[in-house]
Amino acid sequence: MTILILEQALNGLQFGLMLFLLAAGLTLVFGIMDMINLAHGSLYMVGAYLVASATAASGSFALGLLAGVVGAAAFGLLLEVVVLRRLYQRDHLSQVLGTFAILLMCNEAVRFVWGSQPIGASAPAALSGPVELLPGFFYPAYRLLIIGAGLAVAVLLWLLVTRTRLGMQVRAGASNREMAQAMGVNVQRLFSAVFGLGAALCAVAGGLMGPLLAVQVGMGESILILAFVVIVIGGIGSIRGALVGALLVGVVDTAGRTLIPLLFEQLMPLDLAASAGPAVASILIYVLMAAVLFWKPQGLFPAHG
Amino acid sequence: MSTPHLQTQHQDGPSPLDHRLQGARAVALLLALVALPPLANWLGADFYIGLASRILIFALAATSLNLILGFGGMVSFGHAAFVGLGAYTVGVLMTHGVMSAWVAWPAAFGVAALAAWLVGAVSLRTRGVYFIMITLAFAQMLYYLAVSLKTWGGDDGLSLPGRSSLAPLPGLDLANDTTFYYVVLAVCAGAMVLLWRLLNARFGHTLQAIRDNDTRMAAVGFHTRRYQHIAFTLAGGVAGLAGALLANQSGFVSPALMQWQQSGMLMIMVILGGVGHLWGGVIGAVVFLLLEEVLGHYTMHWPFFLGAALLAVVLVASNGLMSLMKRPTWLKASGRTKEAP
Amino acid sequence: ADNVKIGLLSTLSGPGAGLGVDIRDGFQLAVKLNGGKLGGLPAEVVVADDQASPDVGRQTADRLVKRDKVDFMTGVVFSNVMLAVGAPTFAAKTFYVSANAGPSQYAGEQCNPYFFNVAWQNDNLHEAVGKTVTEKGFKKVALIAPNYPAGKDALAGFKRFYKGEVASETYTQLNQLDYGAEISKLRAAKPDAVYIFLPGGLGINFIKQFVGAGLSKDMTLFGPGFSADEDVIKAVGDPMLGMFNSSQWAHDMDNAANKVFVAEFEKAYGRLPSLYASQGYDAARMIDAAVRDVKGKLDDKAAVRKALAAAKFDSVRGAFKFNTNQYPIQDYYLRVITRDSKGRVTNRTLGKVFSNHTDAYAASCKMPAL
Amino acid sequence: MSTALLEVSDLQTAYGSSQVLFGMQLHMRSGDVATLLGRNGMGKTTTVRSILGLTRPQGGSVRFLGERVDGLAPDRIARMGLAVVPEGRQIFPNLSVEDNLKAFAARRNGLSEPWTLDRVWAMFPRLLERRRNMGNQLSGGEQQMLAIGRALMTNPHLLILDEATEGLAPLIREDIWQCLDTLRAAGQSILVIDKYVQRLVKLANQHTVIERGRVVWQGDSPSLAAQPELWHRYIGV
Amino acid sequence: MSTTSSTSTPLLQVKALVKRFGGLTATDHATLDVMPGEIHALIGPNGAGKTTLIHQLSGTLAPDTGDIVFDGQSLIALPMHARVHRGLVRSYQITSIFKRLSVLDNLALAVQARSGSSLRFWARARAEAQRYAEAAEVAQRVGLGPLLGRTAGGLSHGEQRQLEVGLALATQPRLLLLDEPMAGMGPDESERMVNLLLGLRGDMTLLLVEHDMDAVFRLADTISALVFGRVVASGTPAQIRQNADVRRAYLGDDMEHAA
Ligand SMILES: Nc1ncnc2c1ncn2[C@@H]1O[C@H](COP(=O)(O)OP(=O)(O)OP(=O)(O)O)[C@@H](O)[C@H]1O
Ligand SMILES: Nc1ncnc2c1ncn2[C@@H]1O[C@H](COP(=O)(O)OP(=O)(O)OP(=O)(O)O)[C@@H](O)[C@H]1O
Ligand SMILES: [Mg+2]
Ligand SMILES: [Mg+2]
């Protein structure tokens, strides 16, 4: 039982950190630049495809990841320069429509290039097995890599946003673009850079998740919703909030899927438990979000007053 | 030569609080819609009568969303849940042998409105994106509830034994696609008139002003949450009614109706048509579904072209298709600043 | 009629797309080999995507039968979509020849003269594995399936023929891709075998993660044919070696029809055909036989039905006939994943599990008149 | 020290279809302290916005440090050494007090004694107490102080104050005047808009009175002080 | 219009109000009486807690402890709109108006808030001539008479401030809380505002926060000084002018004048 809990905790951590990579980009673009970007999930998808293809082509996962991340960042920048920057000044709803359109187009474009069927991506051979963390406790090596990478990115990002002048200027530009310009900040270039960074983070997440999940069209949407849940729980615009929210969602979701059915089997007849258990487990994170917002309507770490 | 307008008194255009039904165009549209079934029959394309019913039903649902999203500034990302509830109400009543539309449709309205009232009571504590997400959360809960209720089909959904009956009324057999279409058309037209009156009445003015500046509305003495709550409940009820019609149209009810993608689609329709335009929901639904239908006819990759069309609309029109119809907005290169949500 | 129109409504996008694509390819291959005709009439196949959604399926089916006025429908992969597609199709008096979905409803109480299933009843492959697992002497088996009706039917089917202890019964979300939590539970429960019913991409992920967690050394993995077919093997590769699964068909089956099919499929698409492809292929050939039988008089519904029920075609799986509920009576085989002579990882047939097997629901079918 | 700093000539600016500025003129030399006077709604803020590039003028020209800047992006102009304390403060609500000051710190003029965080703290001790507060958790006056500090931190060639004493307590307001006196003594060029004309007469050496987007009077402090009827007519009271 | 019967009991009693933001005590046992009909000015250094106090009176912020009694009844439990209906109305320090609407619509909404139910779903709101006439009257009163049709967002800063006050006036308050109504106004407009407020004397009671001392000394019957969240002095203008504490903390020694 302790092993089960330990393993679940690591799974939750791993899932949470991946969500964080996505949520961080989203919080940067949305919380800080005040832009609702539904195409964020598409960047995740494109990143995953690029990493998978580059890995297959180069034969090296590290090289593939690097190439894919650079490629996705470039794609993100292109998107920003060509379309999205026209939407910053628009109201949120126009942004929803515009980025939804991009999402549709990305999905179809990817389908066109790579086909409708999921493509396989494999973890580097060296990491494809389990490692023994404690005597008798095995854990997949690849998931450990994800945990490490997620933690590293989290720390770097937090420093960048809260501790550097660049981060301050981005936040300033977001809350009052005109005033930030009047203070001498080239907001446009800054936002492009942030967007590229967000895209790169997406690609890191997509590339790392590829071998674990399937690389397929539409993979970005459901995870996008989760990323939104994360940043809303954490408080929009707060990197710290995104991290806490991501870990919370990761752990609650993972634990819920194991423990709720177990619990229900104890409490009620088996057939009822079999249908109620998974349903309750599925809504757990939404219940969590609703509860958080009920007590704290601005999320756990409100970034604006 | 223009003079500074400090002392001249001129109106800066019609008040954004008021909305015109655009009588002439509305009547023309209505006539065209009335003429559609005979035309389709004549062309041997009666499939399109069913499609038109479906589009009108979505127009109704989108319009109900526009009431809260466009005029109330409440961006609900869970509106499909109310549509679904309405549909399930009809479906469940039918499995218990209740076929009468006179019972089932008001019940659908009532159930959805009640749910909206409850969801609104909690959600309206939050603002902006938090509101978007909490409405999504409730919709997801309802969705998973529907998935797990095996008695009512669970994920498989529920096939209805037939259409509701307008029994005491003679000559109206809803099983006939054309009759059904005219009933749907009547409901939609009625809803539009009601919405128009509502917006230009005190309630509408209040709602729109709350959207613009709720702090100030509270400071002059409006119980802002109450008006928003009423609008939210009303919109939920109308969505439920649309759901009841939808269940009848397709003869099938499933949790897929409540999925977040459906809520998203309703939202896209409203934004496409024009947020806060009387006709925004209708135009959005019609254009969106027709585009889907037409593009799908030509290519497997229709979502790409649909996306391109939507993107073009966003970039060209400041606020959906309806804003293209009003001259002043697109003559002015307007730098709209942020408002809701 | 001077031509025959087929509505091929299948899942062509999303995680289940691989299945739909194979059905489509199999079906179209048969039409192509037939010179573009079915039963001697020029064939027009209208392909549509149901996006794995019952609602979309319903709308699209409506469009196919009402606007395109197709003569036959086929192609649906998932049972929940099938249940939504059925009503409008039957109401329009259009025959449905299922190339995959075989829901228990249509096999039993809701059986319908317009519905023919040329694949199997959903439970059949699971029943076959249940029997195999018992025969191989496994005593403690963990079961995993998605939380939707077909998933529940699957495990019910398995348990109908499995006699040992069920270590755990887990229902996952239908579109779940990360099985970390389920795998942890397996590790804790220590069963000696695991039975999974995870179609398409779901199975791919599960197996990869199962192997990555090091569990494949401690427990034997079983699945129905569709969790171990060529599409899955292509994506997972070596880790699948040694997995047992059940099927009514395999590409190495030794009959003339199958040899042509496998060779032509590989030639046309550059990959080994899957179970779904074989079913799509058979569906087309069955329609071909029926149309020829009625000499193109498709308006005579009773005659068409009789011709379909006769199933006068050489199925790629060998012997094939319909039960009273218009579901198959056929044999089921055990397969194992190995390397073939060319070094490819693929299925090899081991032997028969059931002969002339029917389904558990036929008895409750009171087939209505046309 | 008397090189041309800012030359605004024949400026025409409109919001949409309504024109606000009709040929504004303004000339400042390095070291000048100039004012813009006029009633509400006469176009003072609009003039400032046009200089800063925030509202694009339709005609006329703006030269700053000899270079033509109308049509340039606002951030380019700002980086040339122009800083503003805007009307309505425009504090960044999501930055702490300290970050509001630090984010834009620069040394754009070559003056020997640059403004630093410590100097701003010394001038507004109240801000030091509130340094960790977010911008929107400040009182109105505190925000005003922050806006002034924020502009000073860029060490601009020209400092523009648009109603910088709005909402400040008399004592603080007096501090600001004294600070501006000090700045002037140190050679800082300043353009001020404020309603305390009497105080401005003491502070500035050059005044421009505008009415409906046009210059109606221009001159130095003694002549402004000598013409009370000007005040009545164009400024009020 | 004054409805309070006795002039000896205060219309508003603020009793030992406390409000903390984290470690900062923004309102520190503030105690204050506002008599009916008077113009009561509240002065104090920046950050003393004046706006925070107004927020608590109007219902935007909930105090930690203490009580607010208006016309003999405690308001603590009432939300903002309910306080407005009792006659306690505020204006904002940072302008808060309906930017997209015309001046007339702005004011008409405020009139609507107090005249009849807004749960009318059918009758045309535009048909209520009486209400729009009242709104136009208020506009006249705050000097926006010629600008009725102008979109509020396009008004100059000073004009927006006038509208801000107009919105509060249109609700016909018994006690009007004004947070720096003169901020951003030129001397001329300030003068007009002072006259406007003088004209309200007798119609309603005013609690005024203002840093423009000329205005304060011309208007106020009573002045209270708030320092670090505490009321340190309360009295007639003459008393306050002489108060050493107030001079040290707030007024300074030699005061300049607006033009
Ligand atoms: N964004 C805008 N859109 C339309 N008109 C505007 C806008 N901003 C200002 N105006 C108008 O331009 C004129 C000049 O405004 P400006 O703000 O420059 O005046 P000001 O002299 O700074 O006044 P104040 O002393 O009140 O700040 C005013 O009549 C105002 O109504
Ligand atoms: N939400 C908040 N969180 C933390 N501190 C706050 C918050 N709101 C106000 N404060 C602090 O409370 C103190 C009182 O603020 P308040 O706005 O009441 O001052 P004020 O007297 O109105 O000042 P001014 O005359 O400058 O407007 C200030 O120091 C301010 O920084
Ligand atoms: Mg100004
Ligand atoms: Mg204040």
Side-chain angles (χ1 to χ4, degrees):
Chain A
M1 195 67 190
T2 43
I3 293 231
L4 177 66
I5 288 175
L6 207 61
E7 188 168 354
Q8 292 298 24
L10 283 178
N11 281 339
L13 184 66
Q14 174 256 316
F15 181 44
L17 284 168
M18 278 306 94
L19 280 178
F20 170 72
L21 288 187
L22 280 171
L26 202 63
T27 255
L28 281 176
V29 171
F30 177 27
I32 299 186
M33 284 151 56
D34 201 27
M35 161 92 183
I36 294 196
N37 181 17
L38 297 185
H40 195 74
S42 304
L43 295 169
Y44 168 78
M45 171 180 72
V46 169
Y49 270 97
L50 288 176
V51 171
S53 301
T55 303
S58 68
S60 150
F61 183 71
L63 223 57
L65 190 62
L66 187 69
V69 168
V70 171
F75 175 68
L77 276 179
L78 184 77
L79 211 58
E80 201 271 350
V81 170
V82 176
V83 187
L84 295 177
R85 75 167 42 159
R86 282 160 233 282
L87 297 176
Y88 290 145
Q89 297 300 85
R90 303 283 294 277
D91 56 298
H92 279 156
L93 293 174
S94 300
Q95 296 171 352
V96 166
L97 182 57
T99 55
F100 174 75
I102 293 172
L103 176 153
L104 284 180
M105 295 172 77
C106 281
N107 275 350
E108 267 329 285
V110 166
R111 201 193 302 280
F112 198 77
V113 176
W114 280 283
S116 287
Q117 288 164 268
I119 65 169
S122 33
L127 294 174
S128 65
V131 289
E132 190 165 7
L133 287 182
L134 293 172
F137 174 39
F138 290 87
Y139 194 72
Y142 187 70
R143 287 187 193 256
L144 282 180
L145 169 80
I146 294 183
I147 292 178
L151 284 176
V153 173
V155 171
L156 286 179
L157 208 60
W158 184 74
L159 288 177
L160 179 72
V161 171
T162 59
R163 288 296 146 89
T164 65
R165 273 178 31 128
L166 207 67
M168 296 171 198
Q169 292 181 352
V170 172
R171 281 183 284 152
S175 71
N176 190 337
R177 185 190 177 99
E178 193 172 71
M179 195 56 221
Q181 282 181 307
M183 295 308 300
V185 178
N186 187 336
V187 178
Q188 183 152 315
R189 205 166 55 202
L190 200 58
F191 279 15
S192 302
V194 169
F195 201 85
L197 176 68
L201 289 176
C202 281
V204 173
L208 287 175
M209 289 306 267
L212 211 51
L213 311 177
V215 178
Q216 63 187 12
V217 173
M219 63 192 281
E221 275 107 87
S222 38
I223 201 133
L224 176 76
I225 292 287
L226 282 185
F228 268 108
V229 170
V230 163
I231 66 173
V232 161
I233 287 180
I236 290 161
S238 157
I239 290 284
R240 183 169 52 142
L243 183 59
V244 173
L247 294 181
L248 213 57
V249 168
V251 168
V252 166
D253 187 57
T254 312
R257 277 194 282 135
T258 348
L259 301 182
I260 295 268
L262 284 180
L263 187 72
F264 277 34
E265 277 162 29
Q266 312 290 313
L267 291 180
M268 53 182 79
L270 216 67
D271 57 332
L272 192 61
S275 66
V280 172
S282 315
I283 64 170
L284 210 56
I285 57 165
Y286 296 104
V287 173
L288 172 74
M289 175 168 76
V292 167
L293 291 186
F294 186 81
W295 303 118
K296 306 204 79 173
Q298 302 270 301
L300 293 175
F301 298 95
H304 308 231
Chain B
M1 137 130 207
S2 66
T3 49
H5 45 234
L6 263 180
Q7 275 135 13
T8 54
Q9 179 189 337
H10 74 269
Q11 192 84 19
D12 278 8
S15 169
L17 291 180
D18 295 325
H19 298 271
R20 296 187 2 195
L21 196 53
Q22 315 213 356
R25 283 185 214 174
V27 168
L29 179 71
L30 191 64
L31 286 180
L33 288 174
V34 168
L36 187 116
L39 198 72
N41 277 326
W42 185 62
L43 290 171
D46 35 356
F47 162 75
Y48 289 100
I49 300 175
L51 181 69
S53 303
R54 191 176 166 76
I55 291 180
L56 283 179
I57 294 168
F58 273 97
L60 180 64
T63 299
S64 73
L65 178 61
N66 204 8
L67 171 64
I68 49 174
L69 188 157
F71 303 103
M74 293 168 270
V75 185
S76 167
F77 193 10
H79 209 58
F82 305 126
V83 176
L85 276 179
Y88 264 100
T89 306
V90 169
V92 169
L93 282 175
M94 280 191 187
T95 58
H96 289 84
V98 181
M99 298 301 285
S100 167
W102 302 113
V103 177
W105 296 6
F109 184 98
V111 168
L114 179 68
W117 188 80
L118 291 171
V119 169
V122 179
S123 306
L124 283 169
R125 292 166 52 92
T126 60
R127 293 267 96 91
V129 179
Y130 299 98
F131 181 82
I132 300 183
M133 294 306 287
I134 199 166
T135 47
L136 168 75
F138 283 112
Q140 288 291 80
M141 291 176 202
L142 285 170
Y143 167 74
Y144 282 111
L145 182 73
V147 168
S148 66
L149 284 178
K150 230 183 154 190
T151 6
W152 294 329
D155 203 49
D156 283 351
L158 207 57
S159 277
L160 308 188
R163 288 211 170 127
S164 299
S165 114
L166 287 169
L169 272 190
L172 285 182
D173 179 15
L174 292 184
N176 179 313
D177 276 346
T178 305
T179 311
F180 182 71
Y181 168 82
Y182 281 125
V183 169
V184 170
L185 181 59
V187 171
C188 286
M192 286 311 293
V193 170
L194 286 176
L195 178 68
W196 167 62
R197 293 301 307 214
L198 177 148
L199 288 176
N200 291 323
R202 275 190 169 209
F203 184 79
H205 281 196
T206 310
L207 193 63
Q208 296 174 74
I210 292 171
R211 169 197 61 193
D212 285 359
N213 187 346
D214 59 343
T215 323
R216 177 39 96 179
M217 281 299 270
V220 295
F222 286 97
H223 187 348
T224 54
R225 276 260 290 280
R226 178 155 157 253
Y227 298 101
Q228 291 186 312
H229 201 176
I230 290 172
F232 194 83
T233 306
L234 194 63
V238 176
L241 183 60
L245 295 176
L246 195 61
N248 273 286
Q249 193 270 330
S250 70
F252 180 69
V253 178
S254 85
L257 283 176
M258 304 190 173
Q259 257 172 347
W260 64 264
Q261 285 93 338
Q262 292 288 319
S263 296
M265 189 180 74
L266 287 175
M267 222 159 105
I268 293 298
M269 286 174 178
V270 173
I271 305 170
L272 173 67
V275 173
H277 278 285
L278 181 59
W279 289 98
V282 173
I283 297 295
V286 169
V287 171
F288 187 92
L289 292 174
L290 281 184
L291 265 181
E292 207 179 272
E293 179 75 19
V294 171
L295 290 173
H297 197 69
Y298 289 106
T299 163
M300 278 288 284
H301 292 288
W302 60 269
F304 185 87
F305 299 97
L306 180 64
L310 296 182
L311 192 59
V313 171
V314 180
L315 293 180
V316 173
S318 60
N319 175 19
L321 290 168
M322 284 306 293
S323 66
L324 289 177
M325 293 179 62
K326 284 206 317 190
R327 269 199 315 136
T329 326
W330 67 280
L331 282 180
K332 270 190 266 168
S334 69
R336 240 173 88 89
T337 44
K338 309 230 175 221
E339 271 158 14
Chain C
D2 47 7
N3 76 346
V4 51
K5 215 167 174 183
I6 315 289
L8 196 155
L9 172 62
S10 199
T11 301
L12 301 174
S13 55
L19 287 58
V21 167
D22 274 0
I23 292 177
R24 181 194 66 194
D25 289 352
F27 194 98
Q28 288 182 329
L29 178 71
V31 176
K32 198 174 94 189
L33 294 181
N34 233 344
K37 294 184 171 177
L38 287 174
L41 297 178
E44 184 187 340
V45 182
V46 185
V47 178
D49 184 7
D50 64 30
Q51 298 166 34
S53 144
D55 209 45
V56 175
R58 178 89 167 197
Q59 299 311 319
T60 318
D62 211 41
R63 189 191 334 266
L64 288 171
V65 296
K66 281 198 189 143
R67 187 186 71 182
D68 300 328
K69 304 200 164 58
V70 299
D71 302 300
F72 296 92
M73 290 277 294
T74 184
V76 169
V77 176
F78 295 104
S79 296
N80 54 344
V81 180
M82 188 63 241
L83 290 173
V85 162
T89 309
F90 306 154
K93 298 193 190 308
T94 308
F95 286 99
Y96 191 98
V97 178
S98 179
N100 197 63
S104 53
Q105 287 90 332
Y106 290 167
E109 280 169 8
Q110 295 177 36
C111 61
N112 192 294
Y114 287 100
F115 184 83
F116 286 84
N117 187 308
V118 72
W120 24 254
Q121 197 281 320
N122 281 349
D123 301 6
N124 291 154
L125 298 194
H126 312 290
E127 291 167 350
V129 183
K131 183 159 176 245
T132 307
V133 169
T134 312
E135 281 168 0
K136 285 193 180 288
F138 291 97
K139 295 271 180 302
K140 193 177 170 196
V141 181
L143 313 178
I144 299 178
N147 183 33
Y148 78 125
K152 289 172 186 161
D153 290 351
L155 298 195
F158 178 90
K159 285 187 285 183
R160 200 171 290 136
F161 285 80
Y162 169 66
K163 301 294 170 239
E165 179 200 346
V166 174
S168 69
E169 200 174 323
T170 306
Y171 292 100
T172 61
Q173 285 181 48
L174 187 48
N175 44 17
Q176 183 175 328
L177 291 170
D178 186 348
Y179 293 93
E182 288 71 17
I183 285 169
S184 309
K185 267 167 77 180
L186 285 180
R187 199 196 297 282
K190 297 194 177 49
D192 50 17
V194 181
Y195 180 66
I196 57 163
F197 165 54
L198 295 168
L202 313 185
I204 297 175
N205 281 354
F206 180 85
I207 296 166
K208 276 203 276 186
Q209 293 166 21
F210 181 78
V211 174
L215 290 189
S216 50
K217 295 189 292 292
D218 307 330
M219 39 197 99
T220 313
L221 195 57
F222 286 88
F226 17 77
S227 291
D229 222 85
E230 302 309 318
D231 54 328
V232 183
I233 294 174
K234 198 175 83 187
V236 182
D238 288 0
M240 294 203 68
L241 286 171
M243 178 172 172
F244 292 100
N245 64 88
S246 61
S247 176
Q248 84 283 16
W249 170 89
H251 65 80
D252 59 357
M253 283 176 97
D254 194 14
N255 65 61
N258 196 38
K259 288 211 163 94
V260 174
F261 166 61
V262 174
E264 291 290 340
F265 192 93
E266 272 199 87
K267 202 168 90 194
Y269 303 109
R271 62 177 196 267
L272 276 175
S274 67
L275 197 60
Y276 315 103
S278 81
Q279 292 157 188
Y281 186 81
D282 269 359
R285 308 225 310 147
M286 182 173 130
I287 292 173
D288 175 58
V291 175
R292 184 172 307 112
D293 242 27
V294 300
K295 305 201 171 50
K297 292 205 196 71
L298 296 175
D299 291 339
D300 184 351
K301 301 289 177 188
V304 174
R305 178 176 173 219
K306 214 171 126 216
L308 283 171
K312 279 189 273 176
F313 70 105
D314 294 329
S315 167
V316 292
R317 77 202 87 172
F320 179 88
K321 61 177 185 275
F322 280 116
N323 200 348
T324 48
N325 60 352
Q326 302 180 171
Y327 272 63
I329 301 175
Q330 60 189 351
D331 302 342
Y332 292 87
Y333 304 86
L334 183 67
R335 309 186 300 186
V336 68
I337 297 174
T338 53
R339 268 182 218 287
D340 70 0
S341 53
K342 292 182 199 155
R344 292 181 300 193
V345 180
T346 184
N347 269 303
R348 182 158 55 83
T349 308
L350 287 179
K352 214 179 262 188
V353 183
F354 288 129
S355 297
N356 285 330
H357 189 61
T358 60
D359 57 73
Y361 306 97
S364 48
C365 163
K366 296 186 191 61
M367 184 65 77
L370 260 187
Chain D
M1 265 297 246
S2 64
T3 51
L5 177 70
L6 178 73
E7 297 168 75
V8 175
S9 39
D10 194 29
L11 204 59
Q12 317 269 345
T13 304
Y15 293 106
S17 60
S18 65
Q19 190 165 355
V20 175
L21 297 186
F22 299 86
M24 262 299 297
Q25 310 278 349
L26 191 63
H27 296 274
M28 287 181 70
R29 285 155 307 158
S30 199
D32 271 352
V33 175
T35 67
L36 263 185
L37 304 172
R39 286 199 173 86
N40 285 124
M42 290 304 159
K44 304 182 293 291
T45 300
T46 307
T47 307
V48 170
R49 291 181 58 87
S50 307
I51 294 171
L52 290 167
L54 294 175
T55 302
R56 188 169 285 214
Q58 293 176 324
S61 69
V62 180
R63 283 171 191 282
F64 183 56
L65 296 170
E67 231 179 280
R68 188 142 177 198
V69 296
D70 52 291
L72 291 189
D75 55 287
R76 280 275 313 272
I77 301 175
R79 285 198 300 275
M80 289 172 69
L82 204 57
V84 64
V85 178
E87 189 174 79
R89 310 180 187 108
Q90 320 263 7
I91 287 305
F92 298 110
N94 53 346
L95 263 60
S96 67
V97 168
E98 187 165 343
D99 288 354
N100 259 293
L101 293 171
K102 281 206 303 208
F104 313 96
R107 301 209 29 195
R108 292 181 178 144
N109 58 19
L111 292 185
S112 54
E113 215 181 320
W115 283 93
T116 59
L117 211 49
D118 286 336
R119 276 187 71 193
V120 173
W121 295 148
M123 177 155 141
F124 301 119
R126 184 88 208 160
L127 289 185
L128 181 59
E129 287 165 31
R130 318 258 75 215
R131 65 196 278 187
R132 303 243 171 275
N133 274 47
M134 286 295 163
N136 59 350
Q137 298 174 334
L138 295 180
S139 82
E142 289 163 348
Q143 291 188 8
Q144 193 67 61
M145 300 174 201
L146 184 54
I148 297 171
R150 182 178 64 181
L152 290 175
M153 288 291 284
T154 70
N155 290 294
H157 285 290
L158 173 59
L159 176 65
I160 301 180
L161 301 143
D162 192 354
E163 317 247 1
T165 61
E166 175 188 325
L168 289 184
L171 260 180
I172 305 289
R173 200 154 62 210
E174 193 46 45
D175 283 352
I176 303 259
W177 296 130
Q178 267 161 25
C179 167
L180 293 181
D181 283 336
T182 321
L183 282 173
R184 183 193 54 191
Q188 175 75 58
S189 321
I190 309 174
L191 175 62
V192 210
I193 297 169
D194 217 294
K195 67 174 175 182
Y196 295 96
V197 182
Q198 276 186 340
R199 200 60 183 76
L200 292 178
V201 169
K202 285 194 235 162
L203 174 72
N205 58 348
Q206 179 206 324
H207 306 273
T208 304
V209 179
I210 67 172
E211 166 140 292
R212 290 194 217 157
R214 287 185 181 81
V215 176
V216 290
W217 186 87
Q218 227 157 14
D220 58 9
S221 288
S223 30
L224 181 63
Q227 285 177 273
E229 73 278 5
L230 257 180
W231 301 28
H232 282 286
R233 203 150 146 219
Y234 297 116
I235 307 167
V237 187
Chain E
M1 272 283 285
S2 178
T3 49
T4 322
S5 45
S6 157
T7 45
S8 56
T9 54
L11 179 61
L12 175 76
Q13 292 169 283
V14 179
K15 296 182 174 169
L17 220 51
V18 177
K19 177 74 194 173
R20 294 191 182 84
F21 294 116
L24 174 89
T25 309
T27 310
D28 188 3
H29 297 88
T31 300
L32 192 68
D33 284 348
V34 178
M35 304 308 283
E38 73 171 345
I39 298 184
H40 193 126
L42 189 60
I43 62 172
N46 295 116
K50 302 180 294 294
T51 300
T52 306
L53 184 63
I54 300 277
H55 279 323
Q56 294 169 83
L57 297 180
S58 69
T60 314
L61 277 178
D64 297 335
T65 58
D67 199 5
I68 300 165
V69 177
F70 182 70
D71 202 12
Q73 280 173 305
S74 171
L75 294 180
I76 286 291
L78 296 184
M80 182 191 278
H81 57 88
R83 298 185 194 195
V84 172
H85 286 290
R86 298 276 169 95
L88 185 80
V89 182
R90 70 170 300 184
S91 75
Y92 285 90
Q93 179 172 7
I94 294 166
T95 311
S96 174
I97 55 179
F98 303 101
K99 292 207 156 126
R100 291 182 339 126
L101 305 185
S102 68
V103 169
L104 184 66
D105 279 355
N106 264 275
L107 295 168
L109 278 164
V111 175
Q112 180 184 325
R114 66 163 161 74
S115 60
S117 164
S118 287
L119 289 179
R120 296 188 197 158
F121 297 88
W122 186 262
R124 259 169 51 82
R126 286 281 158 207
E128 302 173 36
Q130 171 66 27
R131 180 157 64 89
Y132 286 92
E134 269 180 58
E137 212 171 287
V138 176
Q140 199 66 46
R141 212 158 153 192
V142 295
L144 293 174
L147 302 180
L148 283 182
R150 288 278 301 280
T151 304
L155 298 178
S156 82
H157 191 58
E159 291 158 351
Q160 294 192 355
R161 298 295 310 165
Q162 287 163 280
L163 181 56
E164 172 74 40
V165 174
L167 282 173
L169 275 187
T171 62
Q172 294 187 352
R174 292 168 61 198
L175 173 58
L176 181 56
L177 309 173
L178 293 166
D179 199 357
E180 303 200 27
M182 255 66 93
M185 289 193 175
D188 221 17
E189 288 80 1
S190 294
E191 177 65 21
R192 205 156 31 178
M193 183 63 73
V194 167
N195 289 331
L196 166 65
L197 298 183
L198 282 175
L200 298 178
R201 192 198 296 264
D203 276 358
M204 60 189 75
T205 310
L206 294 179
L207 180 60
L208 170 75
V209 173
E210 186 52 65
H211 288 300
D212 182 338
M213 285 305 114
D214 285 339
V216 167
F217 284 112
R218 279 178 59 197
L219 283 168
D221 303 307
T222 312
I223 298 180
S224 295
L226 201 65
V227 179
F228 292 123
R230 289 174 172 277
V231 178
V232 295
S234 209
T236 64
Q239 288 168 331
I240 294 297
R241 213 192 274 272
Q242 300 314 319
N243 186 304
D245 284 344
V246 178
R247 292 186 80 89
R248 194 165 344 102
Y250 183 66
L251 291 175
D253 286 326
D254 80 333
M255 288 169 46
E256 88 285 67
H257 294 273

